[in-house]
Amino acid sequence: MPQLAIDATCLPQYDKLDRPTRERLLAATRKFRELPLDALLAHPDLRIRPLTAGQDPRIRTFRISDTWTGVMLAPESGETFLLVHLLPRDSAEQWAGDQRHDVNTVMGTLERRDAAALGRAVGGGDEPARPLRAAEATAPAPVGVAVGRAGTVAAPQPPRTGAALFEHVSDRDLRRLGIDSEILEFCRTLSTAEELSDWEPALPQDQYEVLSQLAEGHPVERVLREVVEPRRPAVGAVAADDYDTAIRNTRERVIVVNDDQEIEDVLAGEFNAWRIYLHPKQRDLAYRPRFNGPAKVSGGPGTGKTVVALHRVKFLAEHLPLGGRVLLTSFTNALVESLKRNLALLLPPELIEDVDVITADKLAMNVVKEEQPDVSFWSDNDVRGLLANIAQRHGLPWSAEFLFQEYRHVVMAHGITTVDGYLDPDARRGRSAALDRAERRDVWHAIADARVRMRRNRRLPSLELHAEAARILDERPEKPYTNVVIDEAQDLHPTQWRTLRAAAAPGVNDLFIAGDNRQRIYDNTVSFKRLGIRIVGRSYPLRVNYRTTGEILAWAGEILRGQQVSELGESVPEPAGSTRSVLRGSPPELRGARDLAEELDALAERVRRWLAGGIAPGDVCVTTRTQRLRNAVVRELADRGVPAAVFQANRDTVTDASPAVRVTTMHSVKGLEFRAIAVFGATAEALPNMEHVTGAEVDERQHEADLAAQRSLLYVACTRARESLYVSWHGAPSPFLPRMAAEAAVGREAARR
């Protein structure tokens, strides 16, 4: 019987189908399991047809509806059909006719290339060579190319002959890395990495990954080890005509579905189609029987860290010893509520009963209240006020903010409990404001006085709760949890880590950590080694993004340009190797305005176009820097006839059917995703918001760390978009925005006026 596999290219397109068309598509895919091959090919409703003229004789189109067509690969060998793309009927044959699928015999994977564009580039000719991207069929203008004043599309120029981007790599090494003869000839014409990037949609996916790594300067042996060898199948070499095996081995881009429900889950999964299906590396980490100690999974946005963590909880819950419990934790209440909802999609109720899903702060409060029921919570601002009072009473020359930073980043971060500990020369390593020994004593006594008062009054801020909770748990011979799984780990303070470390006994499968320092939006840095969390040999990076288009991911990456990203839990730089996306789409849209009213008008128009284009209101999210601006945007959009409502991440879910566009803050959108994201008010005043940045006169390094956290906040907001990103501002744009892009947007707006 035939089997159906689904290419990741289909996933963004499925969101664009209306309900009747989705139902017809699902009915068509079911026929691939119900009918023998001959009956399938002859079925009158499917109308499976070869192309009259095309680059690949294996490509077929089939009818979904009067307006939508499916493109599939129907290999001559075997019975595995690959659903390649979903396109409007009038553009399907044009796109499909230019494509060709080949087996990469070195990596054993199936690759697609724009053979027509590559043929023009290598063979010459008068027609400009431009790769036709999959998204062009439904995008307002071709993706990744410039749009002139008259609306005409300027095609990228063919690569210049004689350039030498890869002159340092021999033909022999390129062939070892899976570069075939056609691409080898083509890549010899390239002179810059930018040219290579322009041609990404035309190039075979795995070969492009090899070339991009070489263009970044990585040596051949490293590319062989990190890109080529992980793709090779365990069964051995794959023949050039063995499409069945190649399809099944293309595990990062292709899902082979086994039943009707899985087809529907893949195309319209509750919390992202590629989260239902773990690709092999993710599955290996999530369901590995044994880690001999803490294990860490890191990676950029959309690489599946949270999903791996959720599946890890599933594995641990299924293998708990008698009386065991699992803790799943994240940084905020909103993220915890999201984890609870998603975990319910994976685990039956009887297993969920063995899992606590709470924040680290909630865990600390619960532990402390067991012994001291009268303890109440104090905010950080309360602590600042207390320190200000103590400083004034003793005539100290330091501000409350300086004392609070010493309290947070030195005393509590390092677990210092004595004056001698604070006087240690290494205690303030990393702080830029110098203090002599006498000054340190004065600072210590002020902080110690504040801590005594807080404890005497039973009013403890988060950091004190964790210090007390870690002490209590350390003294208990029986720990409350068998396993602890930590999501969004990059934002946790060292005191929170001590509580989590003490919540489970050290040993096999004790801690499973997922995070990404690019998305660290708070000022916490930690050293796992100093916390007694030994990760060596159990650290695993994820490099494939299944959520955000490559265009959005690349643009958002420029927000962090020049900012060194350290390894999660370490002080060393993150290992080299970029995240790549399996999805393609439109580049971000940038819009500058003269004033707030004009920016709101432009936002309303952008949202109307999204809605008119078939994106449901609940799939659109507007993010703002502050709650005040969030509330104003809701009112102003409603006044302009656009339905909008405040989105509370700890109350609402992205899977709820919503008649209104969702509006929330940048902090609240963390961990979520939407088809379309509008980042509103990206002004120089809002990003960075200097009210939340430590003054350079207080501590220069803390000042830089606070700025970096706000830069990461903008990055997080932008990378929540799956297929469409719109960024706007009025007046001066945020300096965090990629400079050339922002200047270009300002120039276009000035010309328009």
Side-chain angles (χ1 to χ4, degrees), residues 80 101 103 117 119 174 208 255 289 297 319 324 360 380 384 406 483 500 520 527 538 543 574 576 585 624 741 745:
T80 302
H101 292 78
V103 176
L174 287 172
Y208 174 81
I255 302 171
V297 173
H319 296 83
D380 286 346
R384 288 183 174 92
E406 287 292 299
N483 319 96
L500 295 174
R520 187 172 64 202
S527 166
R538 293 183 298 274
R543 301 293 192 197
E574 184 181 57
T624 64

PDB file of all heavy atoms in Angstrom, residues 80 101 103 117 119 174 208 255 289 297 319 324 360 380 384 406 483 500 520 527 538 543 574 576 585 624 741 745:
ATOM      1  N   THR A  80       6.223   5.329  -1.551  1.00  0.00           N
ATOM      2  CA  THR A  80       6.162   6.442  -0.608  1.00  0.00           C
ATOM      3  C   THR A  80       6.021   7.737  -1.384  1.00  0.00           C
ATOM      4  O   THR A  80       6.922   8.143  -2.109  1.00  0.00           O
ATOM      5  CB  THR A  80       7.421   6.492   0.274  1.00  0.00           C
ATOM      6  OG1 THR A  80       7.562   5.260   0.967  1.00  0.00           O
ATOM      7  CG2 THR A  80       7.303   7.629   1.276  1.00  0.00           C
ATOM      8  N   HIS A 101      14.113  16.887  -7.660  1.00  0.00           N
ATOM      9  CA  HIS A 101      14.490  16.174  -6.448  1.00  0.00           C
ATOM     10  C   HIS A 101      15.549  15.140  -6.776  1.00  0.00           C
ATOM     11  O   HIS A 101      15.414  14.396  -7.758  1.00  0.00           O
ATOM     12  CB  HIS A 101      13.271  15.492  -5.826  1.00  0.00           C
ATOM     13  CG  HIS A 101      12.264  16.454  -5.280  1.00  0.00           C
ATOM     14  ND1 HIS A 101      11.383  17.129  -6.097  1.00  0.00           N
ATOM     15  CD2 HIS A 101      12.000  16.856  -4.008  1.00  0.00           C
ATOM     16  CE1 HIS A 101      10.618  17.909  -5.346  1.00  0.00           C
ATOM     17  NE2 HIS A 101      10.969  17.755  -4.084  1.00  0.00           N
ATOM     18  N   VAL A 103      18.625  12.346  -4.883  1.00  0.00           N
ATOM     19  CA  VAL A 103      19.166  11.697  -3.706  1.00  0.00           C
ATOM     20  C   VAL A 103      20.614  12.129  -3.541  1.00  0.00           C
ATOM     21  O   VAL A 103      21.415  12.015  -4.478  1.00  0.00           O
ATOM     22  CB  VAL A 103      19.092  10.163  -3.823  1.00  0.00           C
ATOM     23  CG1 VAL A 103      19.763   9.505  -2.621  1.00  0.00           C
ATOM     24  CG2 VAL A 103      17.643   9.714  -3.940  1.00  0.00           C
ATOM     25  N   ALA A 117      16.450  27.734 -12.333  1.00  0.00           N
ATOM     26  CA  ALA A 117      17.284  28.897 -11.997  1.00  0.00           C
ATOM     27  C   ALA A 117      18.762  28.535 -12.012  1.00  0.00           C
ATOM     28  O   ALA A 117      19.594  29.309 -12.509  1.00  0.00           O
ATOM     29  CB  ALA A 117      16.879  29.455 -10.635  1.00  0.00           C
ATOM     30  N   GLY A 119      20.163  26.171 -13.728  1.00  0.00           N
ATOM     31  CA  GLY A 119      20.563  25.960 -15.117  1.00  0.00           C
ATOM     32  C   GLY A 119      20.870  27.260 -15.823  1.00  0.00           C
ATOM     33  O   GLY A 119      21.846  27.360 -16.573  1.00  0.00           O
ATOM     34  N   LEU A 174      34.952  19.016  -1.425  1.00  0.00           N
ATOM     35  CA  LEU A 174      33.547  19.351  -1.645  1.00  0.00           C
ATOM     36  C   LEU A 174      32.733  18.102  -1.957  1.00  0.00           C
ATOM     37  O   LEU A 174      31.611  17.933  -1.449  1.00  0.00           O
ATOM     38  CB  LEU A 174      33.413  20.369  -2.778  1.00  0.00           C
ATOM     39  CG  LEU A 174      33.862  21.800  -2.447  1.00  0.00           C
ATOM     40  CD1 LEU A 174      33.879  22.669  -3.702  1.00  0.00           C
ATOM     41  CD2 LEU A 174      32.946  22.427  -1.387  1.00  0.00           C
ATOM     42  N   TYR A 208      23.374  23.250   0.703  1.00  0.00           N
ATOM     43  CA  TYR A 208      23.467  24.649   1.130  1.00  0.00           C
ATOM     44  C   TYR A 208      24.011  24.733   2.546  1.00  0.00           C
ATOM     45  O   TYR A 208      24.822  25.610   2.864  1.00  0.00           O
ATOM     46  CB  TYR A 208      22.106  25.345   1.061  1.00  0.00           C
ATOM     47  CG  TYR A 208      22.161  26.739   1.636  1.00  0.00           C
ATOM     48  CD1 TYR A 208      22.652  27.801   0.878  1.00  0.00           C
ATOM     49  CD2 TYR A 208      21.769  26.991   2.949  1.00  0.00           C
ATOM     50  CE1 TYR A 208      22.750  29.080   1.408  1.00  0.00           C
ATOM     51  CE2 TYR A 208      21.861  28.265   3.489  1.00  0.00           C
ATOM     52  CZ  TYR A 208      22.349  29.307   2.713  1.00  0.00           C
ATOM     53  OH  TYR A 208      22.450  30.567   3.246  1.00  0.00           O
ATOM     54  N   ILE A 255       8.323  14.117   7.484  1.00  0.00           N
ATOM     55  CA  ILE A 255       7.643  13.220   8.407  1.00  0.00           C
ATOM     56  C   ILE A 255       6.944  12.140   7.591  1.00  0.00           C
ATOM     57  O   ILE A 255       6.182  12.449   6.682  1.00  0.00           O
ATOM     58  CB  ILE A 255       6.588  13.950   9.247  1.00  0.00           C
ATOM     59  CG1 ILE A 255       7.220  15.087  10.039  1.00  0.00           C
ATOM     60  CG2 ILE A 255       5.869  12.988  10.177  1.00  0.00           C
ATOM     61  CD1 ILE A 255       6.211  15.968  10.723  1.00  0.00           C
ATOM     62  N   PRO A 289      17.216   6.509  27.863  1.00  0.00           N
ATOM     63  CA  PRO A 289      16.916   5.870  29.153  1.00  0.00           C
ATOM     64  C   PRO A 289      17.736   6.409  30.314  1.00  0.00           C
ATOM     65  O   PRO A 289      17.241   6.448  31.443  1.00  0.00           O
ATOM     66  CB  PRO A 289      17.238   4.393  28.891  1.00  0.00           C
ATOM     67  CG  PRO A 289      17.150   4.230  27.410  1.00  0.00           C
ATOM     68  CD  PRO A 289      17.601   5.528  26.833  1.00  0.00           C
ATOM     69  N   VAL A 297      20.124  20.769  27.239  1.00  0.00           N
ATOM     70  CA  VAL A 297      19.784  20.955  25.835  1.00  0.00           C
ATOM     71  C   VAL A 297      19.697  22.458  25.583  1.00  0.00           C
ATOM     72  O   VAL A 297      18.967  23.166  26.279  1.00  0.00           O
ATOM     73  CB  VAL A 297      18.448  20.281  25.485  1.00  0.00           C
ATOM     74  CG1 VAL A 297      18.041  20.623  24.068  1.00  0.00           C
ATOM     75  CG2 VAL A 297      18.555  18.775  25.653  1.00  0.00           C
ATOM     76  N   HIS A 319       8.336   6.130  33.736  1.00  0.00           N
ATOM     77  CA  HIS A 319       9.326   5.226  34.326  1.00  0.00           C
ATOM     78  C   HIS A 319       9.637   5.593  35.777  1.00  0.00           C
ATOM     79  O   HIS A 319      10.718   5.286  36.280  1.00  0.00           O
ATOM     80  CB  HIS A 319      10.618   5.249  33.492  1.00  0.00           C
ATOM     81  CG  HIS A 319      10.442   4.731  32.103  1.00  0.00           C
ATOM     82  ND1 HIS A 319       9.956   5.509  31.083  1.00  0.00           N
ATOM     83  CD2 HIS A 319      10.660   3.499  31.570  1.00  0.00           C
ATOM     84  CE1 HIS A 319       9.894   4.789  29.965  1.00  0.00           C
ATOM     85  NE2 HIS A 319      10.317   3.572  30.244  1.00  0.00           N
ATOM     86  N   GLY A 324       7.658   8.031  43.319  1.00  0.00           N
ATOM     87  CA  GLY A 324       8.445   9.088  42.695  1.00  0.00           C
ATOM     88  C   GLY A 324       7.587  10.222  42.163  1.00  0.00           C
ATOM     89  O   GLY A 324       6.389  10.053  41.900  1.00  0.00           O
ATOM     90  N   ALA A 360       9.862  27.989  39.996  1.00  0.00           N
ATOM     91  CA  ALA A 360      10.843  27.774  41.066  1.00  0.00           C
ATOM     92  C   ALA A 360      10.485  28.602  42.296  1.00  0.00           C
ATOM     93  O   ALA A 360      10.690  28.159  43.438  1.00  0.00           O
ATOM     94  CB  ALA A 360      12.245  28.131  40.560  1.00  0.00           C
ATOM     95  N   ASP A 380      11.058  43.122  45.200  1.00  0.00           N
ATOM     96  CA  ASP A 380      12.398  43.724  45.120  1.00  0.00           C
ATOM     97  C   ASP A 380      12.360  45.215  45.433  1.00  0.00           C
ATOM     98  O   ASP A 380      13.321  45.767  45.996  1.00  0.00           O
ATOM     99  CB  ASP A 380      12.992  43.498  43.725  1.00  0.00           C
ATOM    100  CG  ASP A 380      13.431  42.056  43.522  1.00  0.00           C
ATOM    101  OD1 ASP A 380      13.523  41.310  44.523  1.00  0.00           O
ATOM    102  OD2 ASP A 380      13.686  41.674  42.364  1.00  0.00           O
ATOM    103  N   ARG A 384      14.606  47.448  48.017  1.00  0.00           N
ATOM    104  CA  ARG A 384      15.280  48.706  47.697  1.00  0.00           C
ATOM    105  C   ARG A 384      14.916  49.800  48.710  1.00  0.00           C
ATOM    106  O   ARG A 384      15.771  50.580  49.143  1.00  0.00           O
ATOM    107  CB  ARG A 384      14.905  49.158  46.285  1.00  0.00           C
ATOM    108  CG  ARG A 384      15.533  48.329  45.169  1.00  0.00           C
ATOM    109  CD  ARG A 384      15.153  48.910  43.800  1.00  0.00           C
ATOM    110  NE  ARG A 384      15.833  48.247  42.710  1.00  0.00           N
ATOM    111  CZ  ARG A 384      15.339  47.204  42.039  1.00  0.00           C
ATOM    112  NH1 ARG A 384      14.150  46.698  42.376  1.00  0.00           N
ATOM    113  NH2 ARG A 384      16.022  46.656  41.045  1.00  0.00           N
ATOM    114  N   GLU A 406      24.521  44.948  44.730  1.00  0.00           N
ATOM    115  CA  GLU A 406      25.500  44.170  45.496  1.00  0.00           C
ATOM    116  C   GLU A 406      24.823  42.998  46.204  1.00  0.00           C
ATOM    117  O   GLU A 406      25.350  41.883  46.253  1.00  0.00           O
ATOM    118  CB  GLU A 406      26.185  45.067  46.527  1.00  0.00           C
ATOM    119  CG  GLU A 406      27.176  46.039  45.944  1.00  0.00           C
ATOM    120  CD  GLU A 406      28.406  45.345  45.360  1.00  0.00           C
ATOM    121  OE1 GLU A 406      29.131  44.664  46.113  1.00  0.00           O
ATOM    122  OE2 GLU A 406      28.632  45.498  44.142  1.00  0.00           O
ATOM    123  N   ASN A 483      12.994  13.533  39.799  1.00  0.00           N
ATOM    124  CA  ASN A 483      13.583  14.185  38.634  1.00  0.00           C
ATOM    125  C   ASN A 483      13.090  15.621  38.552  1.00  0.00           C
ATOM    126  O   ASN A 483      11.953  15.912  38.914  1.00  0.00           O
ATOM    127  CB  ASN A 483      13.189  13.457  37.335  1.00  0.00           C
ATOM    128  CG  ASN A 483      13.221  11.958  37.456  1.00  0.00           C
ATOM    129  OD1 ASN A 483      12.182  11.344  37.708  1.00  0.00           O
ATOM    130  ND2 ASN A 483      14.385  11.362  37.283  1.00  0.00           N
ATOM    131  N   LEU A 500      16.518  24.273  43.139  1.00  0.00           N
ATOM    132  CA  LEU A 500      16.212  23.180  42.211  1.00  0.00           C
ATOM    133  C   LEU A 500      17.217  22.040  42.356  1.00  0.00           C
ATOM    134  O   LEU A 500      16.841  20.861  42.283  1.00  0.00           O
ATOM    135  CB  LEU A 500      16.196  23.714  40.777  1.00  0.00           C
ATOM    136  CG  LEU A 500      15.091  24.735  40.468  1.00  0.00           C
ATOM    137  CD1 LEU A 500      15.273  25.310  39.067  1.00  0.00           C
ATOM    138  CD2 LEU A 500      13.713  24.104  40.608  1.00  0.00           C
ATOM    139  N   ARG A 520      17.877  35.391  27.025  1.00  0.00           N
ATOM    140  CA  ARG A 520      17.943  35.766  28.431  1.00  0.00           C
ATOM    141  C   ARG A 520      17.497  37.211  28.584  1.00  0.00           C
ATOM    142  O   ARG A 520      18.227  38.136  28.232  1.00  0.00           O
ATOM    143  CB  ARG A 520      19.362  35.583  28.971  1.00  0.00           C
ATOM    144  CG  ARG A 520      19.446  35.792  30.486  1.00  0.00           C
ATOM    145  CD  ARG A 520      20.820  35.410  31.013  1.00  0.00           C
ATOM    146  NE  ARG A 520      21.855  36.270  30.483  1.00  0.00           N
ATOM    147  CZ  ARG A 520      23.143  35.941  30.429  1.00  0.00           C
ATOM    148  NH1 ARG A 520      23.539  34.755  30.828  1.00  0.00           N
ATOM    149  NH2 ARG A 520      24.035  36.799  29.952  1.00  0.00           N
ATOM    150  N   SER A 527      27.074  29.995  36.983  1.00  0.00           N
ATOM    151  CA  SER A 527      28.103  29.009  36.676  1.00  0.00           C
ATOM    152  C   SER A 527      27.628  27.675  37.242  1.00  0.00           C
ATOM    153  O   SER A 527      27.520  27.515  38.459  1.00  0.00           O
ATOM    154  CB  SER A 527      29.438  29.398  37.304  1.00  0.00           C
ATOM    155  OG  SER A 527      30.339  28.294  37.289  1.00  0.00           O
ATOM    156  N   ARG A 538      27.510  16.056  28.849  1.00  0.00           N
ATOM    157  CA  ARG A 538      26.060  15.866  28.705  1.00  0.00           C
ATOM    158  C   ARG A 538      25.395  17.180  28.279  1.00  0.00           C
ATOM    159  O   ARG A 538      24.369  17.588  28.812  1.00  0.00           O
ATOM    160  CB  ARG A 538      25.459  15.358  30.027  1.00  0.00           C
ATOM    161  CG  ARG A 538      25.917  13.965  30.406  1.00  0.00           C
ATOM    162  CD  ARG A 538      25.243  13.480  31.692  1.00  0.00           C
ATOM    163  NE  ARG A 538      25.572  14.327  32.834  1.00  0.00           N
ATOM    164  CZ  ARG A 538      26.654  14.176  33.584  1.00  0.00           C
ATOM    165  NH1 ARG A 538      27.515  13.191  33.332  1.00  0.00           N
ATOM    166  NH2 ARG A 538      26.883  14.989  34.608  1.00  0.00           N
ATOM    167  N   ARG A 543      20.097  22.678  16.485  1.00  0.00           N
ATOM    168  CA  ARG A 543      20.424  23.682  15.469  1.00  0.00           C
ATOM    169  C   ARG A 543      19.322  23.896  14.431  1.00  0.00           C
ATOM    170  O   ARG A 543      19.456  24.759  13.574  1.00  0.00           O
ATOM    171  CB  ARG A 543      21.695  23.253  14.711  1.00  0.00           C
ATOM    172  CG  ARG A 543      22.919  23.067  15.594  1.00  0.00           C
ATOM    173  CD  ARG A 543      23.382  24.365  16.185  1.00  0.00           C
ATOM    174  NE  ARG A 543      24.705  24.250  16.798  1.00  0.00           N
ATOM    175  CZ  ARG A 543      25.204  25.124  17.652  1.00  0.00           C
ATOM    176  NH1 ARG A 543      24.487  26.166  17.989  1.00  0.00           N
ATOM    177  NH2 ARG A 543      26.406  24.944  18.170  1.00  0.00           N
ATOM    178  N   GLU A 574      29.512  30.550  23.464  1.00  0.00           N
ATOM    179  CA  GLU A 574      28.744  29.436  22.924  1.00  0.00           C
ATOM    180  C   GLU A 574      29.490  28.824  21.747  1.00  0.00           C
ATOM    181  O   GLU A 574      30.086  29.542  20.951  1.00  0.00           O
ATOM    182  CB  GLU A 574      27.373  29.941  22.467  1.00  0.00           C
ATOM    183  CG  GLU A 574      26.450  28.855  21.981  1.00  0.00           C
ATOM    184  CD  GLU A 574      25.128  29.427  21.514  1.00  0.00           C
ATOM    185  OE1 GLU A 574      25.147  30.298  20.617  1.00  0.00           O
ATOM    186  OE2 GLU A 574      24.083  29.020  22.026  1.00  0.00           O
ATOM    187  N   ALA A 576      30.512  27.556  18.171  1.00  0.00           N
ATOM    188  CA  ALA A 576      30.112  28.068  16.862  1.00  0.00           C
ATOM    189  C   ALA A 576      29.137  27.108  16.198  1.00  0.00           C
ATOM    190  O   ALA A 576      29.135  25.915  16.445  1.00  0.00           O
ATOM    191  CB  ALA A 576      31.344  28.259  15.979  1.00  0.00           C
ATOM    192  N   GLY A 585       9.799  32.052   3.805  1.00  0.00           N
ATOM    193  CA  GLY A 585       8.670  32.954   3.735  1.00  0.00           C
ATOM    194  C   GLY A 585       9.093  34.351   3.360  1.00  0.00           C
ATOM    195  O   GLY A 585      10.133  34.558   2.737  1.00  0.00           O
ATOM    196  N   THR A 624       3.981  44.914  22.732  1.00  0.00           N
ATOM    197  CA  THR A 624       4.430  46.250  23.114  1.00  0.00           C
ATOM    198  C   THR A 624       5.426  46.138  24.262  1.00  0.00           C
ATOM    199  O   THR A 624       5.508  45.107  24.932  1.00  0.00           O
ATOM    200  CB  THR A 624       3.246  47.123  23.570  1.00  0.00           C
ATOM    201  OG1 THR A 624       2.668  46.545  24.755  1.00  0.00           O
ATOM    202  CG2 THR A 624       2.185  47.214  22.486  1.00  0.00           C
ATOM    203  N   ALA A 741      18.587  48.029   7.985  1.00  0.00           N
ATOM    204  CA  ALA A 741      17.172  47.789   7.724  1.00  0.00           C
ATOM    205  C   ALA A 741      16.325  48.960   8.209  1.00  0.00           C
ATOM    206  O   ALA A 741      15.399  49.406   7.543  1.00  0.00           O
ATOM    207  CB  ALA A 741      16.740  46.499   8.406  1.00  0.00           C
ATOM    208  N   ALA A 745      14.029  51.582   5.956  1.00  0.00           N
ATOM    209  CA  ALA A 745      12.610  51.792   6.200  1.00  0.00           C
ATOM    210  C   ALA A 745      12.302  53.277   6.346  1.00  0.00           C
ATOM    211  O   ALA A 745      11.306  53.784   5.831  1.00  0.00           O
ATOM    212  CB  ALA A 745      12.161  51.027   7.442  1.00  0.00           C
TER     213      ALA A 745
END
